[in-house]
Amino acid sequence: MGSTLVQFRCDEELKEETTKLYESLGLDLPTAFRLFMKRSLQVQGLPFAVSTKVSYLRSVEDMSGAELDKILAQKALAGEIHSARDVADASKEKYGM
């Protein structure tokens, strides 16, 4: 499959800070954006919640067990979290561990 060039303009400081963040994760900017696009296709939308509501941070201690279970289930369905067993199995498969 051929490749194509994607270009866009953004604030220089935003690019620098984002580049540093992705580099700290072992990614370059083009790879990070490819991951963003692939995840968008996977979820058939933006790979994060979009809302007009102002969100606030809540600690786990402030949540009921049911609230926490619901959040964890949603994140698991979205592929955002994985069980320790799944991570161990993937590591064994990938690295022969």
Coordinates of all heavy atoms in Angstrom, one line a residue:
M1 N 0.8 -1.2 0.0 CA 0.0 0.0 0.0 C 0.9 1.2 0.0 O 1.9 1.3 0.7 CB -0.9 0.0 1.2 CG -1.9 1.1 1.3 SD -3.0 1.1 2.7 CE -3.9 -0.3 2.3
G2 N 0.6 2.2 -0.8 CA 1.3 3.4 -0.9 C 1.2 4.3 0.3 O 0.3 4.1 1.1
S3 N 2.0 5.3 0.4 CA 1.9 6.2 1.6 C 1.6 7.6 1.0 O 1.8 7.9 -0.2 CB 3.2 6.2 2.4 OG 4.3 6.7 1.7
T4 N 1.1 8.5 1.9 CA 0.8 9.8 1.5 C 1.3 10.8 2.6 O 1.4 10.4 3.7 CB -0.8 10.0 1.3 OG1 -1.0 11.3 0.7 CG2 -1.5 9.8 2.6
L5 N 1.5 12.0 2.2 CA 2.0 13.0 3.2 C 0.8 13.7 3.8 O -0.1 14.2 3.0 CB 2.9 14.0 2.4 CG 3.4 15.2 3.3 CD1 4.4 14.6 4.4 CD2 4.2 16.1 2.4
V6 N 0.8 13.8 5.1 CA -0.3 14.6 5.8 C 0.4 15.8 6.5 O 1.4 15.6 7.2 CB -1.0 13.7 6.8 CG1 -2.0 14.5 7.6 CG2 -1.6 12.5 6.2
Q7 N 0.0 17.0 6.2 CA 0.6 18.2 6.8 C -0.5 19.0 7.5 O -1.7 19.0 7.0 CB 1.3 19.0 5.8 CG 2.5 18.4 5.2 CD 3.2 19.3 4.2 OE1 2.5 20.0 3.4 NE2 4.5 19.4 4.2
F8 N -0.2 19.7 8.5 CA -1.1 20.7 9.1 C -0.2 21.6 10.0 O 0.9 21.3 10.3 CB -2.1 20.0 10.0 CG -1.6 19.3 11.2 CD1 -1.5 19.9 12.4 CD2 -1.2 17.9 11.1 CE1 -1.1 19.2 13.5 CE2 -0.8 17.2 12.2 CZ -0.7 17.9 13.4
R9 N -0.8 22.7 10.3 CA -0.1 23.8 11.0 C -0.6 23.8 12.5 O -1.7 23.5 12.7 CB -0.3 25.1 10.4 CG 0.3 25.3 9.0 CD 0.4 26.8 8.7 NE 1.0 26.9 7.4 CZ 2.3 26.8 7.2 NH1 3.2 26.7 8.2 NH2 2.8 27.0 6.0
C10 N 0.4 24.0 13.4 CA 0.0 24.1 14.8 C 1.0 25.1 15.4 O 2.1 25.4 14.9 CB 0.0 22.8 15.5 SG 1.6 22.0 15.7
D11 N 0.7 25.5 16.6 CA 1.6 26.3 17.4 C 2.9 25.6 17.7 O 3.0 24.4 18.0 CB 0.9 26.6 18.8 CG 1.7 27.5 19.7 OD1 1.6 28.7 19.5 OD2 2.4 26.9 20.5
E12 N 4.0 26.4 17.5 CA 5.4 25.8 17.6 C 5.6 25.2 19.0 O 6.1 24.1 19.2 CB 6.4 26.8 17.3 CG 7.8 26.3 17.3 CD 8.9 27.3 16.9 OE1 8.5 28.2 16.2 OE2 10.0 27.2 17.3
E13 N 5.1 25.9 20.1 CA 5.3 25.4 21.4 C 4.5 24.1 21.6 O 5.0 23.2 22.3 CB 4.8 26.5 22.4 CG 5.1 26.1 23.9 CD 4.7 27.2 24.9 OE1 4.7 28.4 24.5 OE2 4.4 26.8 26.0
L14 N 3.3 24.0 21.1 CA 2.5 22.8 21.2 C 3.2 21.6 20.5 O 3.3 20.5 21.1 CB 1.1 23.0 20.5 CG 0.2 21.8 20.4 CD1 -0.2 21.3 21.8 CD2 -1.0 22.2 19.6
K15 N 3.8 21.9 19.4 CA 4.5 20.8 18.7 C 5.7 20.3 19.5 O 5.9 19.1 19.7 CB 5.0 21.2 17.3 CG 5.7 20.2 16.6 CD 6.4 20.6 15.3 CE 7.2 19.5 14.7 NZ 8.3 19.9 14.0
E16 N 6.5 21.3 20.1 CA 7.7 20.9 20.8 C 7.3 20.1 22.1 O 7.9 19.1 22.4 CB 8.4 22.2 21.2 CG 9.1 22.9 20.1 CD 9.8 24.2 20.5 OE1 9.9 24.5 21.7 OE2 10.2 24.9 19.5
E17 N 6.3 20.6 22.8 CA 5.9 19.9 24.0 C 5.3 18.5 23.7 O 5.6 17.6 24.4 CB 4.8 20.7 24.8 CG 5.4 22.0 25.4 CD 4.3 22.8 26.1 OE1 3.2 22.3 26.4 OE2 4.6 24.0 26.4
T18 N 4.5 18.4 22.7 CA 4.0 17.1 22.3 C 5.1 16.2 21.8 O 5.0 15.0 22.2 CB 2.9 17.3 21.2 OG1 1.9 18.3 21.6 CG2 2.2 16.0 20.8
T19 N 6.0 16.7 21.1 CA 7.1 15.9 20.6 C 7.9 15.3 21.8 O 8.2 14.1 21.9 CB 8.1 16.7 19.7 OG1 7.3 17.1 18.5 CG2 9.3 15.9 19.2
K20 N 8.2 16.2 22.8 CA 8.9 15.7 24.0 C 8.1 14.7 24.7 O 8.7 13.7 25.2 CB 9.1 16.9 24.9 CG 10.2 17.8 24.5 CD 10.4 19.0 25.4 CE 11.4 20.0 24.9 NZ 11.5 21.2 25.7
L21 N 6.8 14.9 24.9 CA 6.0 13.9 25.5 C 6.0 12.5 24.8 O 6.3 11.5 25.4 CB 4.5 14.3 25.6 CG 3.5 13.3 26.0 CD1 3.7 12.9 27.5 CD2 2.1 13.8 25.8
Y22 N 5.8 12.5 23.5 CA 5.8 11.3 22.8 C 7.2 10.6 22.8 O 7.3 9.4 22.9 CB 5.4 11.5 21.3 CG 3.9 11.7 21.2 CD1 3.4 12.7 20.3 CD2 3.0 11.1 22.0 CE1 2.0 12.9 20.3 CE2 1.6 11.3 21.9 CZ 1.1 12.2 21.1 OH -0.2 12.5 21.0
E23 N 8.3 11.4 22.7 CA 9.6 10.9 22.8 C 9.9 10.2 24.2 O 10.5 9.2 24.2 CB 10.7 12.0 22.6 CG 10.8 12.3 21.1 CD 11.7 13.5 20.8 OE1 12.2 14.1 21.8 OE2 12.0 13.7 19.6
S24 N 9.3 10.8 25.2 CA 9.4 10.1 26.5 C 8.7 8.8 26.6 O 9.0 7.9 27.4 CB 8.9 11.1 27.6 OG 7.5 11.1 27.6
L25 N 7.8 8.6 25.7 CA 7.1 7.3 25.5 C 7.7 6.4 24.5 O 7.2 5.3 24.2 CB 5.6 7.6 25.2 CG 4.8 8.4 26.2 CD1 3.4 8.8 25.6 CD2 4.6 7.6 27.5
G26 N 8.8 6.8 23.9 CA 9.5 6.0 22.9 C 8.9 6.2 21.5 O 9.1 5.3 20.7
L27 N 8.2 7.2 21.3 CA 7.5 7.4 20.0 C 8.0 8.7 19.3 O 8.3 9.7 20.0 CB 6.0 7.5 20.1 CG 5.3 6.3 20.7 CD1 3.8 6.7 21.1 CD2 5.3 5.2 19.8
D28 N 8.0 8.7 18.0 CA 8.2 10.0 17.3 C 6.8 10.5 16.9 O 5.8 9.8 17.1 CB 9.1 9.9 16.1 CG 8.6 8.9 15.0 OD1 7.4 8.5 15.1 OD2 9.4 8.6 14.1
L29 N 6.8 11.8 16.5 CA 5.5 12.4 16.3 C 4.7 11.7 15.2 O 3.5 11.5 15.3 CB 5.7 13.9 16.0 CG 4.6 14.9 16.1 CD1 3.9 14.8 17.5 CD2 5.0 16.3 15.8
P30 N 5.3 11.4 14.0 CA 4.5 10.7 13.0 C 4.0 9.4 13.5 O 2.8 9.1 13.2 CB 5.6 10.5 11.9 CG 6.6 11.6 12.1 CD 6.7 11.7 13.6
T31 N 4.7 8.6 14.2 CA 4.2 7.3 14.8 C 3.0 7.6 15.7 O 2.0 6.9 15.6 CB 5.3 6.6 15.5 OG1 6.4 6.3 14.5 CG2 4.8 5.2 16.0
A32 N 3.1 8.6 16.6 CA 2.1 8.9 17.5 C 0.8 9.3 16.7 O -0.3 8.8 17.1 CB 2.5 10.0 18.4
F33 N 0.9 10.0 15.7 CA -0.3 10.4 14.9 C -0.9 9.3 14.1 O -2.1 9.2 14.0 CB 0.0 11.6 14.0 CG 0.0 12.9 14.7 CD1 1.1 13.5 15.2 CD2 -1.3 13.5 15.0 CE1 1.0 14.7 15.9 CE2 -1.3 14.7 15.7 CZ -0.2 15.3 16.2
R34 N 0.0 8.3 13.7 CA -0.5 7.1 13.0 C -1.3 6.3 14.0 O -2.4 5.8 13.7 CB 0.6 6.3 12.4 CG 1.0 6.8 11.0 CD 1.9 5.8 10.3 NE 3.2 5.6 11.0 CZ 4.3 6.4 10.9 NH1 4.2 7.4 10.1 NH2 5.4 6.1 11.5
L35 N -0.8 6.2 15.3 CA -1.5 5.5 16.3 C -2.9 6.2 16.6 O -3.9 5.5 16.8 CB -0.7 5.5 17.6 CG 0.5 4.5 17.6 CD1 1.3 4.8 18.9 CD2 0.0 3.1 17.5
F36 N -2.9 7.5 16.6 CA -4.1 8.2 16.8 C -5.1 7.9 15.7 O -6.3 7.6 16.0 CB -3.9 9.7 16.8 CG -5.1 10.6 16.9 CD1 -5.6 10.9 18.2 CD2 -5.7 11.1 15.8 CE1 -6.8 11.7 18.3 CE2 -6.9 11.8 15.9 CZ -7.4 12.2 17.1
M37 N -4.7 7.9 14.5 CA -5.6 7.6 13.3 C -6.1 6.2 13.4 O -7.3 5.9 13.2 CB -4.9 7.9 12.0 CG -4.7 9.4 11.8 SD -4.1 9.8 10.1 CE -2.5 9.2 10.2
K38 N -5.2 5.2 13.7 CA -5.6 3.8 13.8 C -6.6 3.6 14.9 O -7.6 2.9 14.7 CB -4.4 2.9 13.9 CG -3.6 2.8 12.7 CD -2.4 1.8 12.8 CE -1.7 1.8 11.5 NZ -0.9 0.5 11.4
R39 N -6.4 4.2 16.0 CA -7.3 4.1 17.2 C -8.6 4.7 16.8 O -9.7 4.2 17.2 CB -6.7 4.7 18.4 CG -7.6 4.6 19.6 CD -7.6 3.2 20.1 NE -8.4 3.1 21.3 CZ -9.1 2.1 21.7 NH1 -9.0 1.0 21.0 NH2 -9.8 2.1 22.8
S40 N -8.6 5.8 16.1 CA -9.9 6.4 15.6 C -10.7 5.5 14.8 O -11.9 5.4 14.9 CB -9.6 7.7 14.8 OG -9.0 8.7 15.6
L41 N -10.0 4.7 13.9 CA -10.7 3.8 13.1 C -11.2 2.6 13.9 O -12.3 2.1 13.7 CB -9.8 3.2 12.0 CG -9.4 4.2 10.9 CD1 -8.3 3.6 10.0 CD2 -10.6 4.7 10.1
Q42 N -10.5 2.2 14.9 CA -10.9 1.1 15.8 C -12.2 1.4 16.5 O -13.0 0.6 16.6 CB -9.8 0.8 16.8 CG -9.2 -0.5 16.9 CD -8.2 -0.6 17.9 OE1 -7.9 0.3 18.7 NE2 -7.6 -1.8 18.0
V43 N -12.2 2.6 17.1 CA -13.4 3.0 17.8 C -14.5 3.7 17.0 O -15.5 4.1 17.5 CB -13.0 3.9 19.1 CG1 -12.1 3.1 20.0 CG2 -12.5 5.2 18.7
Q44 N -14.1 4.0 15.7 CA -15.0 4.7 14.8 C -15.4 6.0 15.4 O -16.6 6.4 15.4 CB -16.3 3.8 14.5 CG -16.0 2.6 13.6 CD -15.5 3.1 12.2 OE1 -16.3 3.6 11.5 NE2 -14.2 2.8 11.9
G45 N -14.5 6.8 15.8 CA -14.7 8.1 16.3 C -13.4 8.6 17.0 O -12.3 8.1 16.8
L46 N -13.5 9.7 17.7 CA -12.3 10.2 18.4 C -11.9 9.3 19.5 O -12.8 8.7 20.2 CB -12.6 11.6 19.0 CG -12.8 12.7 18.0 CD1 -13.3 14.0 18.6 CD2 -11.5 13.0 17.2
P47 N -10.7 9.0 19.7 CA -10.2 8.0 20.7 C -10.2 8.6 22.1 O -9.4 8.2 22.9 CB -8.9 7.6 20.2 CG -8.4 8.8 19.5 CD -9.6 9.5 18.8
F48 N -11.1 9.5 22.4 CA -11.2 10.1 23.7 C -12.6 10.7 23.8 O -13.2 11.0 22.8 CB -10.1 11.1 24.0 CG -9.9 12.1 23.0 CD1 -10.8 13.3 22.8 CD2 -8.9 12.0 22.1 CE1 -10.6 14.2 21.8 CE2 -8.7 12.9 21.0 CZ -9.5 14.0 20.9
A49 N -13.1 10.9 25.0 CA -14.4 11.5 25.2 C -14.4 13.0 24.8 O -13.5 13.7 25.1 CB -14.8 11.4 26.7
V50 N -15.5 13.4 24.2 CA -15.7 14.8 23.8 C -17.0 15.2 24.5 O -18.0 14.6 24.3 CB -15.8 15.0 22.3 CG1 -16.0 16.4 21.9 CG2 -14.5 14.5 21.6
S51 N -16.9 16.4 25.2 CA -18.0 16.8 25.9 C -18.0 18.3 26.1 O -17.0 18.9 26.1 CB -18.0 16.2 27.3 OG -19.1 16.6 28.1
T52 N -19.2 18.9 26.2 CA -19.3 20.3 26.4 C -19.4 20.6 27.9 O -19.3 21.7 28.4 CB -20.6 20.9 25.8 OG1 -21.7 20.2 26.3 CG2 -20.6 20.8 24.3
K53 N -19.5 19.5 28.7 CA -19.5 19.6 30.2 C -18.1 19.8 30.7 O -17.2 19.3 30.2 CB -20.1 18.4 30.8 CG -21.6 18.2 30.4 CD -22.1 16.9 31.1 CE -23.6 16.7 30.7 NZ -24.1 15.5 31.3
V54 N -18.0 20.6 31.7 CA -16.7 20.8 32.4 C -16.5 19.6 33.3 O -17.4 19.2 34.1 CB -16.7 22.1 33.3 CG1 -15.4 22.2 34.0 CG2 -17.0 23.3 32.4
S55 N -15.4 18.9 33.0 CA -15.1 17.7 33.9 C -14.3 18.1 35.1 O -13.6 19.1 35.0 CB -14.4 16.7 33.0 OG -13.2 17.1 32.6
Y56 N -14.3 17.3 36.1 CA -13.5 17.5 37.2 C -12.9 16.2 37.6 O -13.4 15.1 37.3 CB -14.3 18.2 38.4 CG -15.4 17.3 38.8 CD1 -15.3 16.5 39.9 CD2 -16.7 17.4 38.2 CE1 -16.3 15.7 40.3 CE2 -17.7 16.6 38.6 CZ -17.5 15.7 39.7 OH -18.6 15.0 40.1
L57 N -11.8 16.3 38.3 CA -11.1 15.0 38.7 C -11.7 14.6 40.0 O -11.9 15.3 40.9 CB -9.6 15.3 38.8 CG -8.9 15.7 37.6 CD1 -7.4 16.0 37.9 CD2 -9.0 14.6 36.5
R58 N -11.9 13.3 40.1 CA -12.3 12.7 41.3 C -11.4 11.5 41.6 O -10.9 10.8 40.8 CB -13.7 12.0 41.1 CG -14.8 13.0 40.9 CD -16.2 12.4 40.7 NE -16.5 11.5 41.8 CZ -17.5 10.6 41.8 NH1 -18.1 10.4 40.6 NH2 -17.8 9.9 42.8
S59 N -11.1 11.4 42.9 CA -10.2 10.3 43.3 C -11.0 9.1 43.4 O -12.2 9.1 43.5 CB -9.5 10.6 44.6 OG -10.5 10.6 45.6
V60 N -10.3 8.0 43.3 CA -11.0 6.6 43.4 C -11.7 6.5 44.8 O -12.8 6.0 44.9 CB -9.9 5.5 43.3 CG1 -10.5 4.2 43.6 CG2 -9.4 5.5 41.9
E61 N -11.1 7.2 45.8 CA -11.7 7.1 47.1 C -13.1 7.8 47.2 O -13.9 7.4 48.0 CB -10.8 7.8 48.2 CG -9.5 7.0 48.4 CD -8.4 7.4 47.4 OE1 -8.5 8.4 46.7 OE2 -7.5 6.6 47.3
D62 N -13.3 8.7 46.3 CA -14.6 9.4 46.2 C -15.7 8.7 45.4 O -16.8 9.1 45.4 CB -14.4 10.8 45.6 CG -13.6 11.7 46.4 OD1 -13.5 11.5 47.6 OD2 -13.0 12.7 45.8
M63 N -15.3 7.6 44.8 CA -16.3 6.8 44.0 C -16.8 5.6 44.7 O -16.2 5.0 45.6 CB -15.6 6.3 42.7 CG -15.1 7.4 41.8 SD -14.4 6.6 40.3 CE -13.5 8.0 39.6
S64 N -18.1 5.3 44.4 CA -18.6 4.1 44.9 C -18.0 2.9 44.2 O -17.5 3.1 43.1 CB -20.1 4.1 44.8 OG -20.5 3.9 43.4
G65 N -18.2 1.7 44.7 CA -17.7 0.5 44.0 C -18.3 0.3 42.7 O -17.7 0.0 41.7
A66 N -19.6 0.6 42.6 CA -20.4 0.5 41.4 C -19.9 1.5 40.3 O -19.7 1.1 39.1 CB -21.9 0.7 41.6
E67 N -19.6 2.7 40.7 CA -19.1 3.7 39.8 C -17.7 3.3 39.2 O -17.5 3.4 38.0 CB -18.9 5.1 40.5 CG -20.2 5.8 40.7 CD -19.9 7.1 41.5 OE1 -19.4 7.1 42.6 OE2 -20.0 8.2 40.8
L68 N -16.9 2.8 40.1 CA -15.5 2.4 39.7 C -15.6 1.2 38.8 O -15.0 1.1 37.7 CB -14.7 2.1 40.9 CG -13.2 1.7 40.7 CD1 -12.5 2.9 39.9 CD2 -12.5 1.5 42.0
D69 N -16.5 0.2 39.1 CA -16.7 -1.0 38.3 C -17.2 -0.6 36.9 O -16.7 -1.1 35.9 CB -17.7 -1.9 38.9 CG -17.1 -2.7 40.1 OD1 -15.8 -2.7 40.3 OD2 -17.9 -3.3 40.8
K70 N -18.1 0.4 36.8 CA -18.6 0.8 35.5 C -17.5 1.5 34.7 O -17.4 1.2 33.5 CB -19.8 1.8 35.8 CG -20.4 2.4 34.5 CD -21.5 3.3 34.8 CE -22.1 3.9 33.5 NZ -23.1 4.9 33.7
I71 N -16.7 2.4 35.3 CA -15.6 3.0 34.6 C -14.6 2.0 34.1 O -14.2 2.1 32.9 CB -15.0 4.1 35.5 CG1 -15.9 5.3 35.7 CG2 -13.6 4.6 34.9 CD1 -15.5 6.2 36.8
L72 N -14.2 1.1 34.9 CA -13.3 0.1 34.5 C -13.8 -0.8 33.4 O -13.1 -1.1 32.5 CB -12.8 -0.8 35.7 CG -12.0 -0.1 36.8 CD1 -11.8 -1.0 38.0 CD2 -10.7 0.4 36.2
A73 N -15.1 -1.2 33.5 CA -15.7 -2.0 32.4 C -15.7 -1.2 31.1 O -15.4 -1.8 30.0 CB -17.1 -2.4 32.8
Q74 N -16.0 0.1 31.1 CA -16.0 0.9 29.9 C -14.6 1.0 29.3 O -14.4 0.9 28.1 CB -16.6 2.3 30.2 CG -18.0 2.4 30.5 CD -18.5 3.7 31.0 OE1 -17.7 4.5 31.5 NE2 -19.8 4.0 30.8
K75 N -13.6 1.2 30.2 CA -12.3 1.3 29.7 C -11.8 0.0 29.1 O -11.0 0.0 28.1 CB -11.3 1.9 30.8 CG -11.6 3.3 31.1 CD -10.6 3.9 32.0 CE -10.8 5.4 32.2 NZ -10.6 6.2 31.0
A76 N -12.2 -1.1 29.7 CA -11.8 -2.4 29.2 C -12.4 -2.7 27.9 O -11.7 -3.1 26.9 CB -12.2 -3.5 30.2
L77 N -13.7 -2.3 27.7 CA -14.3 -2.5 26.4 C -13.7 -1.6 25.3 O -13.6 -2.0 24.2 CB -15.8 -2.2 26.5 CG -16.7 -3.2 27.1 CD1 -18.1 -2.7 27.3 CD2 -16.7 -4.5 26.3
A78 N -13.2 -0.5 25.7 CA -12.6 0.5 24.7 C -11.1 0.1 24.5 O -10.5 0.7 23.6 CB -12.7 1.9 25.3
G79 N -10.6 -1.0 25.2 CA -9.3 -1.4 24.9 C -8.2 -0.5 25.6 O -7.1 -0.5 25.3
E80 N -8.7 0.3 26.6 CA -7.8 1.2 27.3 C -7.1 0.6 28.4 O -6.0 1.1 28.9 CB -8.6 2.5 27.8 CG -9.2 3.3 26.6 CD -10.0 4.4 27.1 OE1 -9.9 4.8 28.3 OE2 -10.8 4.9 26.3
I81 N -7.6 -0.5 29.0 CA -6.9 -1.2 30.0 C -7.0 -2.7 29.7 O -7.8 -3.1 29.0 CB -7.6 -0.9 31.4 CG1 -9.0 -1.3 31.5 CG2 -7.4 0.5 31.8 CD1 -9.7 -1.2 32.9
H82 N -6.1 -3.4 30.3 CA -6.0 -4.8 30.1 C -5.7 -5.5 31.4 O -5.1 -5.0 32.3 CB -4.9 -5.1 29.1 CG -5.0 -4.4 27.8 ND1 -5.8 -4.8 26.8 CD2 -4.4 -3.2 27.4 CE1 -5.7 -3.9 25.8 NE2 -4.9 -3.0 26.2
S83 N -6.1 -6.8 31.5 CA -5.9 -7.5 32.7 C -4.4 -7.9 32.8 O -3.7 -7.9 31.8 CB -6.7 -8.8 32.7 OG -6.3 -9.7 31.8
A84 N -4.0 -8.2 34.0 CA -2.6 -8.6 34.2 C -2.3 -9.9 33.4 O -1.2 -10.0 32.8 CB -2.3 -8.8 35.7
R85 N -3.3 -10.8 33.4 CA -3.1 -12.0 32.6 C -2.9 -11.7 31.1 O -2.1 -12.3 30.5 CB -4.3 -12.9 32.8 CG -4.1 -14.3 32.1 CD -5.3 -15.2 32.4 NE -5.4 -15.5 33.9 CZ -4.7 -16.4 34.5 NH1 -3.9 -17.2 33.9 NH2 -4.9 -16.6 35.8
D86 N -3.7 -10.8 30.6 CA -3.6 -10.5 29.2 C -2.2 -9.9 28.9 O -1.6 -10.2 27.8 CB -4.7 -9.5 28.7 CG -6.0 -10.1 28.7 OD1 -6.1 -11.4 28.7 OD2 -7.0 -9.3 28.6
V87 N -1.7 -9.0 29.8 CA -0.4 -8.4 29.6 C 0.7 -9.4 29.6 O 1.6 -9.5 28.8 CB -0.2 -7.3 30.6 CG1 1.3 -6.7 30.5 CG2 -1.2 -6.1 30.4
A88 N 0.6 -10.3 30.6 CA 1.6 -11.4 30.8 C 1.6 -12.3 29.5 O 2.6 -12.7 29.0 CB 1.3 -12.2 32.0
D89 N 0.4 -12.7 29.1 CA 0.3 -13.6 27.9 C 0.9 -12.9 26.6 O 1.6 -13.5 25.9 CB -1.2 -13.9 27.6 CG -1.7 -14.9 28.6 OD1 -0.9 -15.5 29.4 OD2 -3.0 -15.1 28.7
A90 N 0.6 -11.6 26.5 CA 1.1 -10.8 25.3 C 2.6 -10.7 25.4 O 3.4 -10.9 24.4 CB 0.5 -9.5 25.3
S91 N 3.2 -10.6 26.6 CA 4.6 -10.5 26.8 C 5.3 -11.8 26.5 O 6.3 -11.9 25.9 CB 5.0 -10.1 28.3 OG 4.5 -8.8 28.5
K92 N 4.6 -12.9 27.0 CA 5.2 -14.2 26.7 C 5.2 -14.5 25.2 O 6.2 -15.0 24.6 CB 4.3 -15.3 27.3 CG 4.5 -15.4 28.8 CD 3.5 -16.5 29.4 CE 3.6 -16.5 30.9 NZ 2.6 -17.4 31.5
E93 N 4.2 -14.1 24.5 CA 4.1 -14.3 23.0 C 5.1 -13.4 22.3 O 5.8 -13.9 21.4 CB 2.7 -14.0 22.5 CG 2.5 -14.2 21.1 CD 1.1 -13.9 20.6 OE1 0.1 -14.4 21.3 OE2 0.9 -13.3 19.6
K94 N 5.2 -12.2 22.7 CA 6.1 -11.2 22.0 C 7.5 -11.4 22.3 O 8.4 -11.4 21.4 CB 5.7 -9.8 22.3 CG 6.4 -8.8 21.5 CD 5.9 -7.4 21.7 CE 6.6 -6.4 20.8 NZ 6.0 -5.1 20.9
Y95 N 7.9 -11.7 23.6 CA 9.2 -11.7 24.0 C 9.7 -13.1 24.4 O 10.8 -13.3 24.9 CB 9.5 -10.7 25.2 CG 9.1 -9.3 24.8 CD1 8.0 -8.7 25.3 CD2 9.9 -8.6 23.9 CE1 7.7 -7.4 25.0 CE2 9.6 -7.3 23.6 CZ 8.5 -6.7 24.1 OH 8.1 -5.4 23.8
G96 N 8.8 -14.1 24.3 CA 9.2 -15.5 24.7 C 9.5 -15.6 26.2 O 10.2 -16.5 26.6
M97 N 8.8 -14.8 27.0 CA 9.0 -14.8 28.5 C 8.1 -15.8 29.1 O 7.0 -16.1 28.8 CB 8.7 -13.4 29.0 CG 9.7 -12.4 28.5 SD 9.2 -10.7 28.9 CE 9.3 -10.7 30.7

